Amino acid sequence: MTGNHASKRLQASITIRVMLAVILCIVFLPSMSTAQTICVEPGDNTLQSAIDKAPTGATLLLQPGIFTGTVVINKPLTLTGQLTSILDGGGEGHVVMVDAPEVVISGLSITHSGDSLATEDSGIFVTAKGDNALIKNNHLDNNLIGVYLKGPEKALVLNNRVLGSQNPHMNDRGNAIHIWNSSGSVIEKNHLTHGRDGIFVTTSRNNSFRKNLIEDMRFAIHYMYTNNSQVIGNRSVDNHTAYALMFSDKIDVSDNVSESSRDRGLLLNFVNYSIFKRNVVRGGTDKCVFIYNANFNQFDGNYFEACNIGIHFTAGSAQNIIARNSFVDNRHQVKYIGTRHLEWSDNGEGNYWSDNPAFDLDNNGIADVPYQPNDLVDQIVWRYPLAKLLLNSPATQLLKWAQSEFPLLHPGGVIDSAALMETPMIDMSILSIPKINITGVIQ
């Protein structure tokens, strides 16, 4: 009797699943605009079989359950379903390889890629044939690399949740989103957590990264050899460095936030002809900004608060415009070692310095005397840290007084001839936390 009851319960369960699948297909079929919609049941290699049989342009509607085995999409198709439709790669290679243009992957859970950096194992791997790929509303977890765009043009990665590796050896992790030799691709409104870098891009151009939330990584956004691109409206929280930009030109970096980065908010290394506007860096960071051999850049309207060093400027960086920024409550506003004088004002407007004791007797919003954050004592301390023990000594105070009375003693450094008396207005709404729905993706 017990066996008969168990058999009946099993048959009833199977019947219910079949009925639900039929209902889902009936509900979804009328709303599909593609030439043909095919419902696909979970199982071992059932998805690859359906892909092989599907006509070009078809929509594969994946039913709830686990689809095991890696898949290759070699024709324009749409894969869609619910987050309970789980693609499990079984720990081998790429879970999904997109090797054709005009492919859509939407609303799926994708997990368990291989773990080899040498073969770039990924949850979703898009080849150079994958132009105009659309990857949206997916949940990617337990993959070495979340999404890899290797060469496609005009791909869109939108509103995905990527949970990366928490391997204690950070360099053995993969990136949440990895981009190589891609032009015109957009990465927007994704929530990226753990792994090595949130978005890593190299040898690319004309890309746009917008409104992504990136947490608990090495670099939130990492640029290498990438030009004519945008980093706009992103939020970095608790990463080692928020925005690491290297060997790249003509980047628009605007309206981004870095909160509680361990090392740096903005890092520029050989970055030229770029614009940095209305960015906010604050909270427990060693250096709000680090600039190394970067030239012809414009910093305008940024807000740098509560860092050990507001801005560290070094290695011959020249011809940069730094004006209308706010340096608020940093332990050291500027670290600059050099013999040249650098003017940090533009068209009669400088920057706001929270430690500037100057007066504004003519009430024009500009300090009556220039602001110089790096005097001779500062430079001695940078070179010889043990000199901090003498900061309050009579000899140090005498040196500071002499330098103020005889400016020629100043060895070079930053001068703000038009320091602002009040911080320029900035839209603090960019500090608000993006709304996250129950699936974990950004609304």
Side-chain angles (χ1 to χ4, degrees):
M1 289 294 293
T2 302
N4 289 336
H5 284 303
S7 177
K8 289 179 180 179
R9 284 198 298 270
L10 178 60
Q11 290 176 358
S13 175
I14 293 173
T15 301
I16 290 172
R17 288 185 60 190
V18 171
M19 291 176 64
L20 286 173
V22 171
I23 291 171
L24 282 171
C25 283
I26 292 173
V27 170
F28 278 96
L29 274 172
S31 64
M32 299 297 179
S33 59
T34 52
Q36 183 176 353
T37 300
I38 302 167
C39 289
V40 184
E41 291 294 327
D44 189 15
N45 293 316
T46 56
L47 180 53
Q48 185 63 63
S49 177
I51 290 171
D52 294 340
K53 296 175 183 177
T56 297
T59 294
L60 302 185
L61 180 58
L62 278 59
Q63 303 304 296
I66 299 176
F67 297 78
T68 57
T70 61
V71 298
V72 176
I73 305 173
N74 56 7
K75 67 188 81 170
L77 291 174
T78 295
L79 268 61
T80 188
Q82 306 173 62
L83 292 181
T84 51
S85 305
I86 301 170
L87 279 59
D88 188 331
E92 297 290 336
H94 312 306
V95 182
V96 180
M97 176 185 284
V98 176
D99 198 35
E102 311 293 340
V103 170
V104 178
I105 301 175
S106 174
L108 304 173
S109 291
I110 298 170
T111 186
H112 209 190
S113 75
D115 61 1
S116 172
L117 288 171
T119 54
E120 302 167 330
D121 294 344
S122 307
I124 300 175
F125 186 92
V126 184
T127 73
K129 297 180 182 180
D131 295 345
N132 299 301
L134 172 57
I135 300 167
K136 68 175 183 178
N137 300 336
N138 301 289
H139 187 108
L140 296 104
D141 186 14
N142 195 26
N143 302 293
L144 182 64
I145 299 169
V147 178
Y148 198 139
L149 304 181
K150 192 166 187 180
E153 295 186 357
K154 298 180 179 178
L156 173 57
V157 182
L158 174 66
N159 215 49
N160 300 279
R161 179 76 164 95
V162 183
L163 297 173
S165 168
Q166 297 188 58
N167 187 323
H169 302 288
M170 185 168 281
N171 286 337
D172 291 334
R173 304 175 188 174
N175 304 310
I177 299 175
H178 192 123
I179 304 166
W180 178 83
N181 194 30
S182 181
S183 174
S185 292
V186 176
I187 314 298
E188 184 171 358
K189 293 184 179 179
N190 300 282
H191 186 186
L192 314 175
T193 310
H194 305 305
R196 182 168 56 190
D197 295 343
I199 305 172
F200 174 77
V201 58
T202 183
T203 322
S204 298
R205 62 197 181 281
N206 301 320
N207 296 302
S208 182
F209 305 158
R210 302 192 296 249
K211 299 181 180 179
N212 300 284
L213 172 61
I214 307 171
E215 302 178 278
D216 296 313
M217 297 191 179
R218 183 184 65 168
F219 301 152
I221 294 179
H222 187 184
Y223 262 70
M224 295 287 290
Y225 306 104
T226 296
N227 303 322
N228 300 292
S229 295
Q230 298 178 326
V231 180
I232 297 178
N234 301 281
R235 184 184 179 97
S236 165
V237 180
D238 293 329
N239 299 292
H240 292 187
T241 292
Y243 308 101
L245 313 175
M246 306 179 185
F247 305 100
S248 301
D249 296 339
K250 298 181 180 178
I251 308 172
D252 181 355
V253 183
S254 302
D255 301 308
N256 301 285
V257 175
S258 165
E259 287 198 288
S260 304
S261 294
R262 189 190 71 181
D263 300 325
R264 302 168 186 89
L266 289 168
L267 183 157
L268 280 64
N269 183 12
F270 287 86
V271 171
N272 306 295
Y273 304 101
S274 297
I275 297 173
F276 298 82
K277 288 188 175 182
R278 300 180 303 275
N279 301 287
V280 174
V281 179
R282 66 177 188 176
T285 304
D286 183 30
K287 299 174 183 178
C288 286
V289 187
F290 178 75
I291 301 176
Y292 183 90
N293 203 16
N295 307 285
F296 304 101
N297 301 293
Q298 180 179 357
F299 291 80
D300 196 329
N302 302 285
Y303 186 91
F304 305 127
E305 180 185 16
C307 298
N308 185 41
I309 297 173
I311 183 167
H312 184 179
F313 201 83
T314 188
S317 300
Q319 302 297 317
N320 297 286
I321 296 174
I322 301 177
R324 293 167 291 274
N325 304 286
S326 298
F327 295 85
V328 179
D329 295 334
N330 300 296
R331 183 178 179 188
H332 304 284
Q333 300 283 39
V334 177
K335 178 176 181 179
Y336 168 72
I337 301 174
T339 58
R340 293 181 300 151
H341 287 90
L342 303 178
E343 175 59 55
W344 282 9
S345 64
D346 177 54
N347 293 324
E349 291 185 297
N351 303 276
Y352 172 77
W353 310 89
S354 63
D355 61 343
N356 187 4
F359 293 98
D360 179 18
L361 297 180
D362 55 4
N363 200 32
N364 66 349
I366 304 297
D368 293 334
V369 296
Y371 175 83
Q372 293 182 272
N374 272 143
D375 60 16
L376 183 58
V377 173
D378 289 332
Q379 298 208 31
I380 290 172
V381 171
W382 296 135
R383 289 185 171 94
Y384 308 104
L386 289 177
K388 291 181 180 179
L389 298 174
L390 303 175
L391 282 179
N392 295 319
S393 69
T396 301
Q397 298 304 314
L398 178 62
L399 182 58
K400 283 182 172 288
W401 173 85
Q403 193 167 256
S404 66
E405 296 297 317
F406 303 99
L408 289 177
L409 291 176
H410 201 287
V414 171
I415 300 174
D416 187 344
S417 298
L420 304 178
M421 296 302 295
E422 294 184 359
T423 180
M425 294 297 294
I426 187 169
D427 182 6
M428 288 299 182
S429 67
I430 66 173
L431 297 175
S432 62
I433 298 175
K435 295 180 180 179
I436 309 297
N437 65 25
I438 58 172
T439 62
V441 294
I442 299 174
Q443 295 178 323

